Every structure is written in C-alpha cells, then in structure tokens.
Amino acid sequence: MLHIPAGANAPADIAAGYQEQAEYIEKVRLEWLQKASKEPAYDVFISFKDSDRENGIERTQDSIDAQDLYNALVAEGYKVFFSRISLRDKIAEQYEPYIYNAIKTAKVMIVFGEKAAYFSSVWIKNEWSRFKTRIEKGEKHKNSLVVVYKNMNPGDLPVVLRARQCLNAADMTFLSDLNRHIKRVIEESRQTVHIEKIKIEGGRVAKKATTLSARAVQTREVGQ
C-alpha cells in the first residue's frame, strides 16, 4: 500500500501548517519524554481498571483493592507505580511518557483484577501486552508478569495471562507469596545484569589485550 504523507497534495500554505503542527507535536513529545526520564526507576508496576464509566462506575472495587496492595508493597520498601497516586500531579495529556517510563523500568508488573472483562479492557491490555513484549525480547525476567485475581475464576482470564504466575488475593498467604516472588525476580534480574556486565567488560579487556599484544609484536619487529 502506498502511504502519502499528510499534506503532500495540499496547497503550500496548508502543507506548511501540517508541517508546523507535526514539528510542534514532536517537540512536545520529546519534552514529555525528557521529563519522564527523570522519574525514578520502579520495582513494581500495578496495572488495574480504575473506572468503568460505561457502567456508571467512577471508581472500581479493583482500584480500591489495588491501592491496598500498593500500600502493602510500599510498606515492604518497594518503589511502586500506581497510576492513581503516581500520576496525580501530572497533566492528563502527558500521562503516556510517565507510563512508558514506568513500564520500561519496572522489574515486575502486577495485573490486578476482580472481573475477567477488566483484564481485556483497552488500557489494561495495552499495559500488560507492552510488558509481555519486553519479556519476549529478553528485556525483562521471564517470570516478571504476575496476575493477581480476586473473587473470580482464574479460568476466565485471557489465555495469555493464564500461562503466567497467577495468585489469588483472597488466599491467606497471598501477600507473603507475592512478596517472595517479587524479591526472587528482582534478585535474579540483578544477577543477570551483573553477569552481562562482566561479559561486556571481559570482552573489552580481551580486545584491549589482543591489541596490546599485536602492538608489542610490531614494536619488536621494527626494533629488529
């Protein structure tokens, strides 16, 4: 399919307007990303359905219970991204760069829900799908996407999520099990980064040593 740039066949003044608007949007996007990049890295990202306006629900029970989970994890010392709190001082139109930064830096994502339909809602699916893609690319720990459900049958979860670590928030040992899982993922992620760093540094050292050896040989040959 042939894609024609917007304004390509428009009069000069209209095309110039399109170009100016595109440049402005790109400028704003870069400014947002720059601000978001200064935000702290997160340990945990909680994805949940905050409101359900289609059914007249301003704030879902998921949101209320997810905030309790947020408070519990913060008490454990984790840096947690919870949109209702993490974005409260941000302008709505600028949410995306901060969400992007949180997904990028978080070691673990928790997808929380009490209704099967909420797990497939547009924004929630968008968040866990993006995180899942990073796992598949090797950017995240293979067990870093966790599903937490409550008052529902886990068999009703989307097939993709059913294959992940799933925990029942109603279980007595839920918080301790979740905390143990998060700690293990974060620790193993750090070990992986450390090993990769050693590999990279080792490669550099080996390369430098080879270069030095070659130069030494050349020097001796010239001296002879």
Side-chain angles (χ1 to χ4, degrees), residues 56-113:
I57 302 173
E58 192 63 29
R59 188 180 186 189
T60 65
Q61 186 62 44
D62 288 31
S63 175
I64 296 170
D65 290 345
Q67 186 160 347
D68 289 339
L69 176 58
Y70 164 82
N71 292 332
L73 293 176
V74 169
E76 289 289 337
Y78 296 114
K79 181 66 179 177
V80 184
F81 181 88
F82 180 73
S83 59
R84 176 167 275 268
I85 293 176
S86 304
L87 298 175
R88 61 187 172 189
D89 61 341
K90 307 294 188 297
I91 299 174
E93 290 77 9
Q94 299 180 8
Y95 283 169
E96 174 53 30
Y98 295 97
I99 294 173
Y100 170 84
N101 178 69
I103 290 176
K104 178 182 177 183
T105 62
K107 302 293 188 302
V108 173
M109 174 179 279
I110 297 173
V111 190
F112 184 93

Side-chain angles (χ1 to χ4, degrees), residues 23-198:
E23 290 175 355
Y24 172 76
I25 292 173
E26 179 63 12
K27 178 183 177 182
V28 171
R29 186 185 72 84
L30 292 174
E31 287 177 354
W32 289 357
L33 286 174
Q34 185 176 20
K35 289 179 181 179
S37 66
K38 295 178 181 178
E39 292 289 298
Y42 290 93
D43 297 312
V44 180
F45 184 114
I46 300 179
S47 180
F48 65 101
K49 179 81 168 174
D50 189 61
S51 62
D52 186 359
R53 292 188 175 86
E54 292 181 359
N55 294 305
I57 302 173
E58 192 63 29
R59 188 180 186 189
T60 65
Q61 186 62 44
D62 288 31
S63 175
I64 296 170
D65 290 345
Q67 186 160 347
D68 289 339
L69 176 58
Y70 164 82
N71 292 332
L73 293 176
V74 169
E76 289 289 337
Y78 296 114
K79 181 66 179 177
V80 184
F81 181 88
F82 180 73
S83 59
R84 176 167 275 268
I85 293 176
S86 304
L87 298 175
R88 61 187 172 189
D89 61 341
K90 307 294 188 297
I91 299 174
E93 290 77 9
Q94 299 180 8
Y95 283 169
E96 174 53 30
Y98 295 97
I99 294 173
Y100 170 84
N101 178 69
I103 290 176
K104 178 182 177 183
T105 62
K107 302 293 188 302
V108 173
M109 174 179 279
I110 297 173
V111 190
F112 184 93
E114 301 183 26
K115 288 187 177 181
Y118 286 174
F119 285 94
S120 297
S121 62
V122 176
W123 291 110
I124 307 307
K125 185 175 181 179
N126 176 273
E127 288 174 351
W128 61 254
S129 294
R130 288 157 71 182
F131 198 89
K132 173 177 168 290
T133 297
R134 288 183 175 272
I135 293 176
E136 292 168 348
K137 289 181 178 179
E139 298 173 11
K140 304 285 186 183
H141 190 284
K142 62 182 181 179
N143 297 321
S144 57
L145 182 57
V146 182
V147 178
V148 174
Y149 63 92
K150 186 178 180 181
N151 301 325
M152 60 169 284
N153 183 350
D156 294 332
L157 289 166
V159 176
V160 175
L161 294 182
R162 265 182 268 162
R164 299 288 169 178
Q165 175 69 52
C166 298
L167 298 174
N168 186 350
D171 288 346
M172 293 291 292
T173 60
F174 163 66
L175 281 176
S176 60
D177 291 342
L178 178 62
N179 186 36
R180 185 163 50 251
H181 183 82
I182 293 172
K183 283 184 176 180
R184 182 168 63 248
V185 169
I186 291 178
E187 182 57 34
E188 291 179 2
S189 297
R190 286 173 180 164
Q191 290 175 357
T192 301
V193 170
H194 181 64
I195 291 172
E196 290 300 320
K197 184 178 179 182
I198 290 175

Side-chain angles (χ1 to χ4, degrees), residues 6-22:
N9 296 322
D13 58 336
I14 297 178
Y18 282 139
Q19 181 63 28
E20 183 178 345
Q21 187 177 30

